[in-house]
Amino acid sequence: MAAYEVLSGKRVVLGVSASIAAYKAVSVASALTQAGALVDVVMTPEAQELVRPLSFQAITHRPVLSEMFHLLAETDIGHVTLGHRADVVVVAPATAHTLAKLSLGLADDLITTTVLATRAPLVLAPAMDAGMYDNSAVRENVARLRERGAVVVEPEWGRMASGLVGQGRLAEAPTIVETLRVVLGRGGDLADWRVVVTAGGTREAIDPVRFVSNHSSGKMGYAVAVAARDRGAEVVLISAPSALAPPLGVESRPVVNAEEMHRAVAKAIDAADLLVMAAAVADYRPRQAADRKIKKHGGELLLRLVPTTDILADTAGMANDCLIRVGFAAETDELIEHARGKLERKRLDLIVANDISELESGFGSDTNRVVLLDRTGGRRDLPLLPKPEVAHHILDEAIRIQAERIG
Ligand code: PMT
């Protein structure tokens, strides 16, 4: 499964109600369409005063719908058909008025009718001026919709069109699209799997301001976590410091050093099906971190290092029988030989031999060149690929290994 995209081929109904933020829905429609979704935009008549339907039509290459009975007449498929065939319905922006109608079950326009008719998951992205979102009537409506299963993308804090500051700004398009990925991913081929992923480079303190670390950005590990999430897994991401934002729909557990990562992994793998150690864990740490900043003096400074615990090797003894354990081996030379050695020493099911001899592969890059080696001697050489694609190949292998175990 090379290019896995959970949105590809999915039917998304995007309801746009009349908030000033309606223009942001154009970016949502664009991102969904680019990801391969079939996007049917449904607008309230008032929303069309704010954004021209043509903007959506040009981006989605599909007609924009508004009138319930026009649709009935033109297509002879009934005004509930949109809802019936949708994989997901998202209302963005959802005004206070639309939320109130949805909460009451009213059906006086195409958005509310579609929501009532659909059996697909419902995602709501409220947007309204400061003060309104705090109103108890709105809060109650949102709470009731949540109770019925709607996923709510919380509006952001900030300056409103009115000039007031508060919570009510429509969430940014990437957040809304990411939420749709999470929702659509449920029921994927990793549904019922619990996946633990480590990412980033650990930091081993020298003193309160200095540390020993490496160049890991976290990109590879985060890509594995997001890929597993998009395929329906429950994911725990144990991350050493990284500039990346914690992914939506993933349980993030930040750690700093190898010892903290060790404890977090030991705790998380208890009921897990898969452990993927993409983190670059320090092999050595300063024997004793100074509790005060070390002062500069003329001569040499000797840093005494002691080995850290090998987390992966340690999990061989403590892991439950079902756990599939995947390690990485970042190598500049003798890639296969060194990786096979680690696979055996750490008693892994799979090792991702990571060729870091070229600039576009390994630490910090968006792409990676890897060879997948399993404990039965199996080998798959992958070309240079974006890290999310590498992540999906690793997950495919984990699924294969599990299927072989079950027999
Ligand atoms: O984060 P990015 O910038 O995207 O970069 C990705 C990456 C290069 C960090 C990643 O693809 C990768 O190769 N990670 C492993 C890095 C590494 O240095 O591995 P290693 O050969 O030191 O360790 C082998 C395996 O043992 C790894 O899975 C590692 O997580 C694990 N290990 C290592 C040391 C230790 N004390 N405990 C461990 O569990």
Side-chain angles (χ1 to χ4, degrees), residues 44-111:
T44 60
E46 297 78 13
Q48 296 183 14
E49 303 286 323
L50 297 163
V51 185
R52 304 263 299 139
L54 191 60
S55 302
F56 288 105
Q57 197 164 327
I59 276 168
T60 61
H61 312 292
R62 301 170 71 78
V64 172
L65 306 162
S66 179
E67 298 291 328
M68 288 200 273
F69 300 107
H70 277 176
L71 177 67
L72 189 64
E74 280 168 13
T75 64
D76 197 28
I77 52 175
H79 54 273
V80 292
T81 301
L82 265 185
H84 283 171
R85 69 183 182 197
D87 292 302
V88 65
V89 176
V90 51
V91 186
T95 60
H97 187 60
T98 294
L99 292 170
K101 290 198 292 182
L102 292 174
S103 159
L104 280 173
L106 299 182
D108 65 344
D109 61 29
L110 197 51
I111 294 180

Side-chain angles (χ1 to χ4, degrees), residues 198-201 214-222 244 258 261 276-284 307-314 326-331 342 346 348 351-356 361-368 370 387:
T198 66
N214 57 68
H215 292 295
S216 171
S217 61
K219 286 179 189 170
M220 190 63 247
Y222 280 53
L244 303 174
M261 185 169 277
V276 181
M277 287 278 307
V281 187
D283 290 321
Y284 292 91
T308 57
T309 306
D310 189 314
I311 303 171
L312 254 185
D314 198 47
V326 178
F328 274 68
E331 308 292 346
K342 286 177 185 173
K346 301 182 192 222
L348 303 174
I351 195 146
V352 183
N354 198 162
D355 182 354
I356 56 167
S361 178
F363 292 88
S365 58
D366 291 329
T367 48
N368 220 355
V370 305
K387 283 179 176 171

Side-chain angles (χ1 to χ4, degrees), residues 260-328:
E260 284 177 20
M261 185 169 277
H262 185 204
R263 277 201 301 267
V265 168
K267 206 165 149 197
I269 57 169
D270 211 19
D273 302 282
L274 173 64
L275 168 66
V276 181
M277 287 278 307
V281 187
D283 290 321
Y284 292 91
R285 63 171 175 79
R287 190 173 65 164
Q288 186 87 51
D291 50 10
R292 293 180 181 199
K293 184 180 171 191
I294 299 171
K295 293 290 169 220
K296 190 164 97 178
H297 51 74
E300 289 180 355
L301 178 70
L302 195 68
L303 202 56
R304 193 177 287 273
L305 302 175
V306 294
T308 57
T309 306
D310 189 314
I311 303 171
L312 254 185
D314 198 47
T315 59
M318 64 170 81
N320 65 64
D321 291 346
C322 308
L323 185 71
I324 295 168
R325 294 162 53 252
V326 178
F328 274 68

